[in-house]
Amino acid sequence: MKSIYDIDLQSADGQENFLAQFKGKVTLVVNTTVGCGNANQMEVLQWLQDKYGGEHFQVVAIPTQDYCGPGVTHGKWSEGITCGADSANYGKDVYGTTFQFSEMVASIPHPETSLAFGGEIGHNGLGEPYGEPHELYKEIRNHQSKAQDVLASNGLDHMKMFKDKYFSFWLNRGFYGGTSMGGNFEKYLVDKDGYVDKHFTCTILNYDSEKTVKAMAEENGSVIDVGPGRSRKIFDEEWSVVCQNIEELIAGKKSIVNPNA
């Protein structure tokens, strides 16, 4: 395995070695897009950036087009994104984000993820076959696979070890299932050395509706409720868990796959 901070990736505006600047910081790596049902998390990610950002922590957005496109994204972003700058501009314009964005890259979607938006298995929101995953996501998969092996060697099932611990269904599924991705806003919490510590699914920290969709509904006299299976109680629990894990890493905790742990 290697540190993800050593992986070659450009920033959204074309600067080389984008990830190297985060060595020594805890990062929350998130795949982003524009205008999808999970995009309200842009605001929540900014809350985390405001709360912890600076010398010790950074939200890092990695845009992808693997999960969106016509019928999924809305308004001026109805066709999804063409580059990392699209996602960066959306975050800034709609949610006032200040965290950093990379170039657009291909991720590692679960093969059946496309069925969720009416697409063909193995195809993105534009109907195109999934591209070759970027090295970043291949290395993230390696880190999560290694974590599963470490847990199994200690007699732990990564899918069951947190069962019934939380009110949130998604927290109960655990933090080590990120070898593939189910949608936009999959979140990977990375220690200061660049090793993935926890995976939070694309649904965790989802609560409100996407702002442009909400505004359009209000113009038409409608009110959009929170997403299915979501509540303030669930969100507050998820927020607390994410914050606790960030704070532990800032305090010096290392991922179980970190060679120096």
Side-chain angles (χ1 to χ4, degrees):
M1 293 188 307
K2 65 189 292 187
S3 166
I4 70 165
Y5 301 148
D6 292 331
I7 291 173
D8 184 25
L9 182 71
Q10 290 186 2
S11 67
D13 60 1
Q15 299 299 309
E16 300 290 341
N17 300 317
F18 173 67
L19 296 172
Q21 65 184 301
F22 306 120
K23 289 181 179 180
K25 289 187 177 185
V26 175
T27 57
L28 187 65
V29 174
V30 187
N31 68 314
T32 63
T33 185
V34 297
C36 74
N38 293 337
N40 66 87
Q41 291 181 51
M42 286 280 198
E43 183 172 22
V44 180
L45 294 174
Q46 186 59 43
W47 294 346
L48 291 172
Q49 183 65 31
D50 292 341
K51 183 178 178 67
Y52 297 111
E55 182 181 355
H56 302 293
F57 175 79
Q58 176 71 41
V59 173
V60 180
I62 314 292
T64 184
Q65 179 72 314
D66 287 341
Y67 310 95
C68 284
V72 180
T73 48
H74 304 279
K76 65 183 284 189
W77 298 278
S78 62
E79 297 300 312
I81 60 177
T82 61
C83 62
D86 286 344
S87 188
N89 290 335
Y90 167 84
K92 182 178 180 180
D93 293 346
V94 178
Y95 291 100
T97 56
T98 63
F99 50 82
Q100 298 192 50
F101 288 73
S102 78
E103 63 181 312
M104 184 176 74
V105 299
S107 66
I108 304 181
H110 186 280
E112 297 184 0
T113 295
S114 52
L115 296 178
F117 51 79
E120 181 181 351
I121 289 179
H123 289 66
N124 65 21
L126 296 178
E128 302 165 342
Y130 290 133
E132 176 68 18
H134 191 273
E135 182 189 0
L136 169 65
Y137 285 115
K138 291 181 180 179
E139 197 57 47
I140 285 175
R141 178 175 58 188
N142 288 343
H143 290 195
Q144 286 275 280
S145 294
K146 177 63 175 178
Q148 293 173 15
D149 291 343
V150 170
L151 294 171
S153 69
N154 288 284
L156 299 171
D157 184 333
H158 75 279
M159 288 293 291
K160 297 179 179 179
M161 60 189 292
F162 298 98
K163 186 176 184 294
D164 299 327
K165 180 177 180 179
Y166 300 104
F167 188 71
S168 166
F169 168 82
W170 297 105
L171 290 176
N172 285 328
R173 290 175 63 86
F175 311 103
Y176 303 98
T179 53
S180 64
M181 306 165 80
N184 287 116
F185 294 86
E186 299 277 357
K187 295 163 284 291
Y188 297 90
L189 186 59
V190 181
D191 72 15
K192 294 179 182 180
D193 296 328
Y195 295 91
V196 177
D197 180 63
K198 296 288 193 308
H199 164 246
F200 302 105
T201 69
C202 59
T203 304
I204 288 176
L205 296 182
N206 206 40
Y207 177 68
D208 202 357
S209 301
E210 195 273 339
K211 276 192 173 181
T212 57
V213 174
K214 194 173 183 179
M216 287 188 291
E218 290 174 350
E219 289 176 2
N220 294 325
S222 301
V223 176
I224 298 179
D225 202 356
V226 298
R230 306 302 300 174
S231 70
R232 188 71 202 191
K233 179 178 180 179
I234 292 174
F235 175 84
D236 287 346
E237 180 184 49
E238 293 172 349
W239 171 264
S240 177
V241 169
V242 171
C243 288
Q244 178 183 342
N245 280 273
I246 290 172
E247 290 168 9
E248 289 174 350
L249 292 181
I250 289 175
K253 179 179 176 288
K254 296 181 185 294
S255 166
I256 61 174
V257 304
N258 188 324
N260 301 313

